[in-house]
């Protein structure tokens, strides 16, 4: 009796091991509705305004826009998310009003001018959006692997073991 139960459990476990990777392989961003972020293009253009690419990778190159997306979706409350989305929408409207193009279609100089106008705006919501995006972008960049390994001498596991030293 125990042997039959053990074989049943083993069969179920093996079936799960075979089926699970095939099921998980089809996971992607589109399969999770709650995680979807529609403004990735504008967000990547926005972080590029703050830390543009030069001979070193910029904020977009280090994936700062993905960090912002993740932070807004997972770590902040609904009021911050609303403020953030309203700021992105306002940024897009200003871009269309001033240049007749979407924000992500503008060149870097024009994008920076549109974004800097939010900092100099008289509305507190615009200034709050500007400082929120700037702070998160700088944090994302300074916590990226590129920055830490090339500028901060970051070592994954500090401290070395010297097992054979003269005493």
């Amino acid at each position: 009796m125990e042997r039959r139960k053990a074989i049943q459990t083993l069969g179920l476990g093996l079936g799960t091991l075979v089926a699970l990777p095939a099921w998980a392989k089809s996971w992607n961003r589109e399969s999770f509705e709650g995680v979807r972020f529609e403004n990735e293009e504008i967000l990547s253009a926005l972080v590029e305004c703050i830390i543009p690419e030069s001979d070193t990778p910029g904020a977009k190159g280090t994936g700062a826009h993905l960090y912002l997306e993740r932070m807004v979706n997972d770590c902040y409350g609904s009021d911050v998310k609303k403020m953030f989305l309203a700021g992105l929408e306002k940024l897009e409207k200003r871009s269309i009003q001033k240049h007749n193009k979407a924000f992500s279609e503008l060149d870097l100089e024009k994008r920076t001018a549109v974004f800097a106008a939010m900092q100099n705006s008289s509305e507190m919501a615009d200034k709050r959006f500007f400082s929120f995006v700037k702070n998160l972008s700088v944090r994302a960049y300074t916590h990226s692997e590129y920055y830490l390994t090339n500028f901060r001498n970051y070592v994954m596991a500090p401290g070395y073991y010297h097992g054979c030293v003269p005493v």
Side-chain angles (χ1 to χ4, degrees):
M1 189 71 177
E2 292 293 323
R3 187 173 55 185
R4 285 185 182 181
K5 195 167 188 161
I7 290 172
Q8 264 182 340
T9 306
L10 187 63
L12 185 65
L14 285 174
T16 303
L17 278 175
V18 170
L20 189 61
W23 176 58
K25 192 174 184 177
S26 64
W27 290 353
N28 55 28
R29 292 181 68 139
E30 284 75 30
S31 64
F32 296 103
E33 283 297 318
V35 181
R36 185 176 237 165
F37 198 77
E38 299 162 354
N39 300 314
E40 186 176 334
E41 198 170 302
I42 188 173
L43 198 55
S44 63
L46 187 57
V47 297
E48 196 177 358
C49 289
I50 297 168
I51 304 173
E53 187 172 324
S54 59
D55 55 339
T56 61
K60 182 181 175 184
T62 59
H65 61 292
L66 301 174
Y67 176 82
L68 257 77
E69 176 185 338
R70 178 58 58 104
M71 289 295 287
V72 169
N73 276 334
D74 296 346
C75 300
Y76 288 102
S78 62
D79 57 331
V80 174
K81 190 172 182 175
K82 284 179 188 172
M83 178 274 303
F84 183 73
L85 292 174
L88 286 179
E89 194 172 304
K90 192 177 277 188
L91 190 72
E92 189 74 11
K93 282 181 183 174
R94 282 184 177 196
S95 172
I96 290 172
Q97 281 176 348
K98 193 163 185 164
H99 301 289
N100 291 329
K101 283 185 177 179
F103 183 77
S104 57
E105 295 172 357
L106 296 175
D107 61 6
L108 182 63
E109 199 171 298
K110 289 179 181 174
R111 270 187 276 159
T112 305
V114 170
F115 186 52
M118 293 191 88
Q119 180 187 21
N120 301 326
S121 173
S122 60
E123 294 182 36
M124 280 305 293
D126 292 350
K127 289 182 178 184
R128 186 172 173 219
F129 172 76
F130 179 86
S131 66
F132 179 77
V133 170
K134 182 180 171 187
N135 288 337
L136 274 182
S137 298
V138 169
R139 185 186 315 163
Y141 187 77
T142 56
H143 287 79
S144 69
E145 181 181 352
Y146 171 76
Y147 181 82
L148 289 174
T149 55
N150 292 312
F151 297 106
R152 303 295 277 170
N153 296 329
Y154 174 77
V155 179
M156 179 82 164
Y160 297 97
Y161 176 71
H162 302 285
C164 187
V165 293
V167 181

